[in-house]
Amino acid sequence: VANTKVAVLGAAGGIGQPLSMLCKLSNEIDELSCYDIVGTPGVAADLSHIPTKSKMIGSLPHPGSWPPRSDDGLAEALTGADVVVIPAGVPRKPGMTRDDLFNTNASIVQTLVEGCAEHCPEAVLAIISNPVNSTVPIAAEVLKKKGVYDPSKLCGVTTLDVCRANTFVANSQGWDPKDVDVTVIGGHAGITILPLFSQVPGMKVSDEEREALTVRTQFGGDEVVKAKAGAGSATLSMAYAGYLFTENVIKAMNGADDIVQCAYVESTLTDAPYFASPCKFGKNGVEEVLGFGELSDYEQQWFDKMLPDLKKQIQKGIDFVN
Ligand code: APR
Protein backbone atom coordinates (compact mmCIF):
# COMPACT_ATOMS: atom_id res chain seq x y z
CA VAL A 1 0.00 0.00 0.00
CA ALA A 2 1.56 3.27 -1.14
CA ASN A 3 0.07 5.49 1.50
CA THR A 4 -1.22 3.53 4.44
CA LYS A 5 -4.15 5.18 6.19
CA VAL A 6 -5.65 4.15 9.51
CA ALA A 7 -8.89 5.57 10.90
CA VAL A 8 -9.74 5.29 14.60
CA LEU A 9 -13.46 5.65 15.39
CA GLY A 10 -14.06 6.55 19.02
CA ALA A 11 -10.63 8.20 19.08
CA ALA A 12 -11.30 10.50 22.03
CA GLY A 13 -12.14 7.65 24.42
CA GLY A 14 -10.19 5.76 27.01
CA ILE A 15 -9.01 3.24 24.42
CA GLY A 16 -9.15 5.56 21.42
CA GLN A 17 -6.65 8.13 22.71
CA PRO A 18 -3.75 5.82 23.59
CA LEU A 19 -4.53 3.71 20.52
CA SER A 20 -4.33 6.79 18.30
CA MET A 21 -1.10 7.81 20.02
CA LEU A 22 0.48 4.40 19.36
CA CYS A 23 -0.66 4.60 15.74
CA LYS A 24 0.86 8.09 15.49
CA LEU A 25 4.16 6.59 16.64
CA SER A 26 3.99 3.66 14.22
CA ASN A 27 6.40 3.50 11.31
CA GLU A 28 3.86 1.45 9.35
CA ILE A 29 1.26 4.22 9.16
CA ASP A 30 1.42 7.23 6.83
CA GLU A 31 -1.92 8.86 7.61
CA LEU A 32 -4.01 8.74 10.74
CA SER A 33 -7.54 10.02 11.06
CA CYS A 34 -9.37 10.29 14.35
CA TYR A 35 -13.14 10.37 14.63
CA ASP A 36 -15.37 10.69 17.66
CA ILE A 37 -18.63 12.41 18.51
CA VAL A 38 -16.92 14.55 21.16
CA GLY A 39 -13.46 15.97 21.60
CA THR A 40 -11.90 14.88 18.33
CA PRO A 41 -10.30 18.20 17.35
CA GLY A 42 -8.44 18.29 20.65
CA VAL A 43 -7.08 14.77 20.29
CA ALA A 44 -6.15 15.26 16.64
CA ALA A 45 -4.52 18.67 17.20
CA ASP A 46 -2.60 17.30 20.17
CA LEU A 47 -1.33 14.26 18.23
CA SER A 48 -0.48 16.38 15.20
CA HIS A 49 2.36 18.01 17.16
CA ILE A 50 4.23 14.71 17.58
CA PRO A 51 6.97 14.74 14.95
CA THR A 52 6.56 11.29 13.42
CA LYS A 53 6.10 10.04 9.89
CA SER A 54 2.32 9.75 10.02
CA LYS A 55 0.27 12.80 9.11
CA MET A 56 -3.00 13.65 10.80
CA ILE A 57 -5.59 13.86 8.06
CA GLY A 58 -6.46 17.13 6.36
CA SER A 59 -8.92 19.37 8.10
CA LEU A 60 -9.52 17.80 11.47
CA PRO A 61 -12.92 16.17 11.97
CA HIS A 62 -15.12 18.30 14.20
CA PRO A 63 -17.63 17.08 16.77
CA GLY A 64 -20.76 15.77 15.17
CA SER A 65 -24.25 14.90 16.27
CA TRP A 66 -25.84 11.56 16.98
CA PRO A 67 -26.67 9.91 14.65
CA PRO A 68 -23.77 11.24 12.59
CA ARG A 69 -24.63 13.80 9.92
CA SER A 70 -23.03 13.61 6.55
CA ASP A 71 -20.83 16.60 7.33
CA ASP A 72 -19.54 15.59 10.75
CA GLY A 73 -16.15 14.41 9.53
CA LEU A 74 -16.90 10.69 9.29
CA ALA A 75 -16.66 10.64 5.50
CA GLU A 76 -13.34 12.44 5.57
CA ALA A 77 -12.02 10.20 8.33
CA LEU A 78 -12.90 7.03 6.42
CA THR A 79 -12.21 7.86 2.79
CA GLY A 80 -9.08 6.06 1.64
CA ALA A 81 -8.65 4.15 4.92
CA ASP A 82 -6.89 0.79 4.68
CA VAL A 83 -7.68 -0.21 8.25
CA VAL A 84 -10.50 1.12 10.44
CA VAL A 85 -10.19 0.41 14.15
CA ILE A 86 -13.42 0.80 16.10
CA PRO A 87 -13.30 1.24 19.89
CA ALA A 88 -16.37 3.55 19.94
CA GLY A 89 -19.00 2.81 22.56
CA VAL A 90 -19.59 2.74 26.28
CA PRO A 91 -17.37 0.71 28.62
CA ARG A 92 -18.31 -1.59 31.52
CA LYS A 93 -18.88 -0.62 35.13
CA PRO A 94 -18.27 -3.08 38.01
CA GLY A 95 -20.77 -5.93 37.97
CA MET A 96 -21.51 -5.57 34.25
CA THR A 97 -20.73 -8.23 31.66
CA ARG A 98 -19.71 -7.29 28.13
CA ASP A 99 -23.15 -8.45 27.02
CA ASP A 100 -24.74 -5.73 29.21
CA LEU A 101 -23.28 -3.18 26.77
CA PHE A 102 -25.19 -4.65 23.87
CA ASN A 103 -28.08 -2.21 23.69
CA THR A 104 -25.93 0.90 23.44
CA ASN A 105 -22.97 -0.38 21.48
CA ALA A 106 -24.93 -2.40 18.93
CA SER A 107 -26.40 0.69 17.32
CA ILE A 108 -23.13 2.63 17.52
CA VAL A 109 -21.32 -0.16 15.67
CA GLN A 110 -24.16 -0.49 13.16
CA THR A 111 -24.04 3.22 12.28
CA LEU A 112 -20.26 3.39 12.06
CA VAL A 113 -20.02 0.28 9.89
CA GLU A 114 -22.68 1.73 7.58
CA GLY A 115 -20.27 4.63 7.18
CA CYS A 116 -17.42 2.23 6.42
CA ALA A 117 -19.54 0.43 3.81
CA GLU A 118 -20.14 3.74 2.11
CA HIS A 119 -16.76 5.45 2.37
CA CYS A 120 -14.14 2.67 2.59
CA PRO A 121 -15.78 -0.61 1.51
CA GLU A 122 -12.39 -2.24 0.93
CA ALA A 123 -10.86 -1.45 4.32
CA VAL A 124 -10.08 -4.07 6.95
CA LEU A 125 -12.34 -3.40 9.95
CA ALA A 126 -10.97 -4.18 13.41
CA ILE A 127 -13.81 -4.20 15.93
CA ILE A 128 -13.02 -3.50 19.58
CA SER A 129 -16.44 -2.25 20.77
CA ASN A 130 -17.96 -4.85 23.07
CA PRO A 131 -19.60 -7.31 23.15
CA VAL A 132 -17.24 -8.29 20.31
CA ASN A 133 -18.91 -11.72 20.09
CA SER A 134 -22.03 -9.87 18.87
CA THR A 135 -20.69 -6.64 17.35
CA VAL A 136 -18.68 -8.50 14.70
CA PRO A 137 -21.79 -10.35 13.44
CA ILE A 138 -23.60 -6.98 13.52
CA ALA A 139 -20.90 -5.48 11.33
CA ALA A 140 -21.09 -8.47 8.95
CA GLU A 141 -24.88 -8.14 8.58
CA VAL A 142 -24.58 -4.41 7.88
CA LEU A 143 -21.90 -5.00 5.24
CA LYS A 144 -23.99 -7.81 3.67
CA LYS A 145 -27.01 -5.51 3.43
CA LYS A 146 -24.81 -2.93 1.70
CA GLY A 147 -23.46 -5.63 -0.64
CA VAL A 148 -19.82 -5.12 0.37
CA TYR A 149 -19.17 -7.91 2.87
CA ASP A 150 -15.81 -9.63 2.50
CA PRO A 151 -15.14 -12.07 5.38
CA SER A 152 -11.39 -11.60 5.00
CA LYS A 153 -11.77 -7.94 5.90
CA LEU A 154 -13.75 -8.12 9.13
CA CYS A 155 -12.10 -9.02 12.44
CA GLY A 156 -12.92 -8.80 16.10
CA VAL A 157 -9.79 -7.89 18.03
CA THR A 158 -9.02 -10.62 20.58
CA THR A 159 -5.35 -9.71 20.88
CA LEU A 160 -5.78 -8.55 24.47
CA ASP A 161 -6.74 -12.09 25.47
CA VAL A 162 -3.48 -13.29 23.93
CA CYS A 163 -1.55 -10.48 25.68
CA ARG A 164 -3.09 -11.44 29.01
CA ALA A 165 -2.42 -15.15 28.54
CA ASN A 166 1.20 -14.40 27.56
CA THR A 167 1.71 -12.18 30.59
CA PHE A 168 0.16 -14.62 33.06
CA VAL A 169 2.08 -17.61 31.66
CA ALA A 170 5.37 -15.69 31.63
CA ASN A 171 4.83 -14.69 35.27
CA SER A 172 3.97 -18.24 36.31
CA GLN A 173 6.91 -19.84 34.46
CA GLY A 174 9.50 -17.14 35.11
CA TRP A 175 9.82 -16.48 31.35
CA ASP A 176 10.20 -13.29 29.36
CA PRO A 177 6.68 -12.50 28.04
CA LYS A 178 8.24 -11.77 24.63
CA ASP A 179 9.07 -15.48 24.36
CA VAL A 180 5.48 -16.64 24.88
CA ASP A 181 2.73 -16.75 22.27
CA VAL A 182 -0.34 -18.50 23.60
CA THR A 183 -3.05 -19.47 21.12
CA VAL A 184 -6.38 -18.21 22.43
CA ILE A 185 -9.51 -19.39 20.67
CA GLY A 186 -13.27 -18.87 20.82
CA GLY A 187 -14.70 -15.44 21.51
CA HIS A 188 -13.92 -12.38 23.59
CA ALA A 189 -16.02 -12.72 26.76
CA GLY A 190 -15.73 -14.86 29.88
CA ILE A 191 -15.96 -18.58 29.23
CA THR A 192 -16.02 -18.08 25.46
CA ILE A 193 -12.28 -17.30 25.79
CA LEU A 194 -10.11 -20.42 25.74
CA PRO A 195 -6.31 -20.24 26.06
CA LEU A 196 -4.60 -23.39 24.80
CA PHE A 197 -1.87 -23.84 27.38
CA SER A 198 -1.38 -27.48 26.37
CA GLN A 199 0.22 -26.12 23.18
CA VAL A 200 2.77 -23.89 24.91
CA PRO A 201 6.18 -25.59 24.59
CA GLY A 202 7.88 -26.25 27.91
CA MET A 203 5.07 -24.95 30.12
CA LYS A 204 4.78 -26.86 33.39
CA VAL A 205 1.79 -26.32 35.67
CA SER A 206 -0.22 -28.28 38.18
CA ASP A 207 -3.91 -28.90 37.47
CA GLU A 208 -4.78 -26.14 39.92
CA GLU A 209 -2.40 -23.64 38.35
CA ARG A 210 -3.73 -24.43 34.89
CA GLU A 211 -7.28 -23.86 36.09
CA ALA A 212 -6.29 -20.57 37.74
CA LEU A 213 -4.46 -19.35 34.62
CA THR A 214 -7.36 -20.32 32.38
CA VAL A 215 -9.95 -18.54 34.50
CA ARG A 216 -7.71 -15.50 34.94
CA THR A 217 -7.32 -15.20 31.16
CA GLN A 218 -11.07 -15.55 30.68
CA PHE A 219 -11.93 -12.97 33.34
CA GLY A 220 -8.82 -10.74 33.20
CA GLY A 221 -11.00 -7.88 32.01
CA ASP A 222 -13.02 -8.05 35.23
CA GLU A 223 -9.85 -7.54 37.27
CA VAL A 224 -9.38 -4.20 35.55
CA VAL A 225 -13.05 -3.20 35.78
CA LYS A 226 -12.96 -3.90 39.52
CA ALA A 227 -9.66 -2.09 40.09
CA LYS A 228 -10.94 0.95 38.18
CA ALA A 229 -13.92 1.00 40.55
CA GLY A 230 -16.48 2.54 38.22
CA ALA A 231 -14.13 4.44 35.92
CA GLY A 232 -14.46 1.93 33.08
CA SER A 233 -12.70 -1.13 31.72
CA ALA A 234 -9.29 -1.88 30.24
CA THR A 235 -8.09 1.01 28.09
CA LEU A 236 -4.27 1.09 28.02
CA SER A 237 -3.74 -2.64 27.53
CA MET A 238 -6.62 -2.74 25.02
CA ALA A 239 -5.08 0.17 23.14
CA TYR A 240 -1.76 -1.65 23.03
CA ALA A 241 -3.46 -4.83 21.79
CA GLY A 242 -5.46 -2.92 19.15
CA TYR A 243 -2.29 -1.22 17.94
CA LEU A 244 -0.37 -4.53 17.75
CA PHE A 245 -3.20 -6.07 15.77
CA THR A 246 -3.42 -3.09 13.40
CA GLU A 247 0.33 -2.94 12.77
CA ASN A 248 0.35 -6.65 11.95
CA VAL A 249 -2.52 -6.24 9.50
CA ILE A 250 -0.62 -3.43 7.78
CA LYS A 251 2.68 -5.31 7.69
CA ALA A 252 0.90 -8.18 5.94
CA MET A 253 -0.80 -5.74 3.53
CA ASN A 254 2.62 -4.36 2.70
CA GLY A 255 4.01 -7.77 1.84
CA ALA A 256 5.23 -9.44 5.06
CA ASP A 257 4.44 -13.10 4.48
CA ASP A 258 4.85 -14.39 8.03
CA ILE A 259 2.01 -12.65 9.86
CA VAL A 260 -0.12 -15.07 11.87
CA GLN A 261 -2.23 -13.75 14.73
CA CYS A 262 -5.41 -14.73 16.52
CA ALA A 263 -8.56 -12.93 15.37
CA TYR A 264 -12.32 -13.38 15.73
CA VAL A 265 -13.53 -13.92 12.17
CA GLU A 266 -16.11 -15.76 10.10
CA SER A 267 -15.07 -19.37 10.44
CA THR A 268 -16.03 -22.93 9.60
CA LEU A 269 -13.74 -24.50 12.19
CA THR A 270 -16.63 -25.13 14.60
CA ASP A 271 -20.39 -24.79 14.36
CA ALA A 272 -20.15 -21.22 15.66
CA PRO A 273 -20.20 -19.06 12.51
CA TYR A 274 -17.65 -16.64 14.01
CA PHE A 275 -14.70 -17.94 15.97
CA ALA A 276 -11.30 -16.68 17.08
CA SER A 277 -8.31 -18.73 16.03
CA PRO A 278 -4.88 -18.13 14.53
CA CYS A 279 -5.24 -16.50 11.10
CA LYS A 280 -2.71 -15.92 8.37
CA PHE A 281 -2.83 -12.31 7.17
CA GLY A 282 -1.88 -11.14 3.68
CA LYS A 283 -2.35 -8.29 1.23
CA ASN A 284 -6.15 -8.43 1.53
CA GLY A 285 -6.62 -9.10 5.21
CA VAL A 286 -7.28 -12.62 6.45
CA GLU A 287 -5.74 -14.94 3.90
CA GLU A 288 -6.46 -18.17 5.73
CA VAL A 289 -8.26 -19.15 8.91
CA LEU A 290 -5.87 -21.63 10.48
CA GLY A 291 -6.92 -24.47 12.74
CA PHE A 292 -5.91 -24.64 16.37
CA GLY A 293 -4.45 -28.12 16.85
CA GLU A 294 -5.58 -30.81 19.20
CA LEU A 295 -7.24 -29.88 22.48
CA SER A 296 -6.34 -31.55 25.75
CA ASP A 297 -9.21 -33.22 27.65
CA TYR A 298 -9.22 -30.23 29.99
CA GLU A 299 -9.53 -27.76 27.11
CA GLN A 300 -12.17 -29.90 25.41
CA GLN A 301 -14.43 -29.51 28.46
CA TRP A 302 -14.22 -25.72 28.25
CA PHE A 303 -14.69 -25.88 24.51
CA ASP A 304 -17.94 -27.83 24.86
CA LYS A 305 -19.16 -25.36 27.49
CA MET A 306 -18.28 -22.33 25.38
CA LEU A 307 -20.02 -23.09 22.12
CA PRO A 308 -23.69 -22.68 23.15
CA ASP A 309 -22.95 -19.26 24.73
CA LEU A 310 -20.93 -18.08 21.79
CA LYS A 311 -23.57 -19.16 19.28
CA LYS A 312 -26.27 -17.35 21.28
CA GLN A 313 -24.24 -14.12 21.34
CA ILE A 314 -23.59 -14.36 17.61
CA GLN A 315 -27.29 -14.90 16.88
CA LYS A 316 -28.16 -11.89 19.04
CA GLY A 317 -26.00 -9.72 16.78
CA ILE A 318 -27.49 -11.15 13.60
CA ASP A 319 -31.04 -10.66 14.90
CA PHE A 320 -30.32 -7.07 15.91
CA VAL A 321 -29.64 -6.01 12.34
CA ASN A 322 -32.40 -8.09 10.78
N1 APR B 1 -19.14 7.54 16.93
C1 APR B 1 -17.89 7.80 17.33
N2 APR B 1 -17.49 7.73 18.60
C2 APR B 1 -18.41 7.40 19.51
C3 APR B 1 -19.73 7.09 19.17
C4 APR B 1 -20.09 7.19 17.81
N3 APR B 1 -21.30 6.93 17.40
N4 APR B 1 -20.38 6.79 20.31
C5 APR B 1 -19.51 6.88 21.32
N5 APR B 1 -18.30 7.26 20.83
C6 APR B 1 -17.07 7.54 21.55
C7 APR B 1 -17.27 8.29 22.85
O1 APR B 1 -17.49 9.69 22.60
C8 APR B 1 -15.97 8.03 23.57
O2 APR B 1 -14.98 9.00 23.29
O3 APR B 1 -16.44 6.33 21.96
C9 APR B 1 -15.53 6.66 22.99
C10 APR B 1 -15.55 5.54 24.02
O4 APR B 1 -14.65 5.85 25.00
P1 APR B 1 -14.87 5.45 26.52
O5 APR B 1 -16.24 5.82 26.92
O6 APR B 1 -13.72 6.01 27.27
O7 APR B 1 -14.83 3.86 26.46
P2 APR B 1 -13.55 2.88 26.31
O8 APR B 1 -13.05 2.50 27.65
O9 APR B 1 -12.60 3.47 25.34
O10 APR B 1 -14.24 1.57 25.71
C11 APR B 1 -14.90 1.60 24.46
O11 APR B 1 -14.29 -0.65 23.83
O12 APR B 1 -13.37 -2.51 24.91
C12 APR B 1 -14.52 -1.85 24.51
O13 APR B 1 -16.00 -2.56 26.24
C13 APR B 1 -15.34 -1.45 25.69
O14 APR B 1 -17.22 -1.20 24.33
C14 APR B 1 -16.26 -0.48 25.05
C15 APR B 1 -15.38 0.24 24.05
Side-chain angles (χ1 to χ4, degrees), residues 10 12-16 35-38 66 87-91 101 105 108 112 128-130 233-235 238:
I15 295 168
Y35 174 84
D36 201 299
I37 47 169
V38 285
W66 177 254
V90 291
L101 303 174
N105 289 357
I108 292 174
L112 292 175
I128 293 175
S129 316
N130 275 311
S233 49
T235 54
M238 186 60 243

Side-chain angles (χ1 to χ4, degrees), residues 169-187:
V169 167
N171 290 346
S172 105
Q173 304 293 300
W175 295 343
D176 184 335
K178 292 214 162 49
D179 299 333
V180 197
D181 184 17
V182 181
T183 296
V184 183
I185 62 168

Side-chain angles (χ1 to χ4, degrees), residues 211-289:
E211 173 88 359
L213 286 170
T214 301
V215 173
R216 193 170 178 208
T217 303
Q218 292 170 325
F219 295 94
D222 293 9
E223 255 177 48
V224 180
V225 172
K226 214 167 146 204
K228 289 199 175 179
S233 49
T235 54
L236 302 170
S237 51
M238 186 60 243
Y240 172 72
Y243 146 77
L244 264 191
F245 180 83
T246 303
E247 258 211 343
N248 274 331
V249 171
I250 294 169
K251 282 180 186 161
M253 275 181 173
N254 286 333
D257 61 1
D258 59 348
I259 304 291
V260 171
Q261 59 180 343
C262 290
Y264 180 69
V265 295
E266 186 178 305
S267 171
T268 54
L269 293 177
T270 70
D271 47 332
Y274 298 86
F275 197 83
S277 72
C279 296
K280 168 102 170 65
F281 283 75
K283 289 199 161 42
N284 296 304
V286 179
E287 209 158 68
E288 194 183 349
V289 177

Side-chain angles (χ1 to χ4, degrees), residues 75-299:
E76 187 185 19
L78 292 176
T79 302
D82 301 292
V83 183
V84 182
V85 195
I86 310 185
V90 291
R92 288 191 285 163
K93 298 252 154 64
M96 286 172 88
T97 66
R98 291 187 180 86
D99 195 49
D100 293 333
L101 303 174
F102 185 91
N103 289 337
T104 314
N105 289 357
S107 47
I108 292 174
V109 169
Q110 181 178 29
T111 307
L112 292 175
V113 173
E114 281 167 2
C116 296
E118 194 175 328
H119 301 293
C120 55
E122 313 231 304
V124 169
L125 308 189
I127 311 282
I128 293 175
S129 316
N130 275 311
V132 162
N133 290 355
S134 308
T135 51
V136 169
I138 287 173
E141 292 305 306
V142 169
L143 295 167
K144 281 179 200 169
K145 276 188 193 285
K146 298 274 182 189
V148 293
Y149 178 55
D150 175 352
S152 61
K153 297 202 158 167
L154 175 62
C155 301
V157 179
T158 58
T159 313
L160 181 53
D161 304 317
V162 176
C163 288
R164 286 184 175 133
N166 291 348
T167 304
F168 302 155
V169 167
N171 290 346
S172 105
Q173 304 293 300
W175 295 343
D176 184 335
K178 292 214 162 49
D179 299 333
V180 197
D181 184 17
V182 181
T183 296
V184 183
I185 62 168
H188 178 63
I191 66 156
T192 68
I193 299 168
L194 180 54
L196 303 183
F197 296 129
S198 71
Q199 298 179 10
V200 178
M203 180 170 166
K204 290 195 178 61
V205 276
S206 66
D207 290 355
E208 276 144 41
E209 285 167 325
R210 185 183 48 199
E211 173 88 359
L213 286 170
T214 301
V215 173
R216 193 170 178 208
T217 303
Q218 292 170 325
F219 295 94
D222 293 9
E223 255 177 48
V224 180
V225 172
K226 214 167 146 204
K228 289 199 175 179
S233 49
T235 54
L236 302 170
S237 51
M238 186 60 243
Y240 172 72
Y243 146 77
L244 264 191
F245 180 83
T246 303
E247 258 211 343
N248 274 331
V249 171
I250 294 169
K251 282 180 186 161
M253 275 181 173
N254 286 333
D257 61 1
D258 59 348
I259 304 291
V260 171
Q261 59 180 343
C262 290
Y264 180 69
V265 295
E266 186 178 305
S267 171
T268 54
L269 293 177
T270 70
D271 47 332
Y274 298 86
F275 197 83
S277 72
C279 296
K280 168 102 170 65
F281 283 75
K283 289 199 161 42
N284 296 304
V286 179
E287 209 158 68
E288 194 183 349
V289 177
L290 304 172
F292 45 82
E294 210 168 308
L295 303 182
S296 66
D297 292 344
Y298 175 78
E299 289 156 0

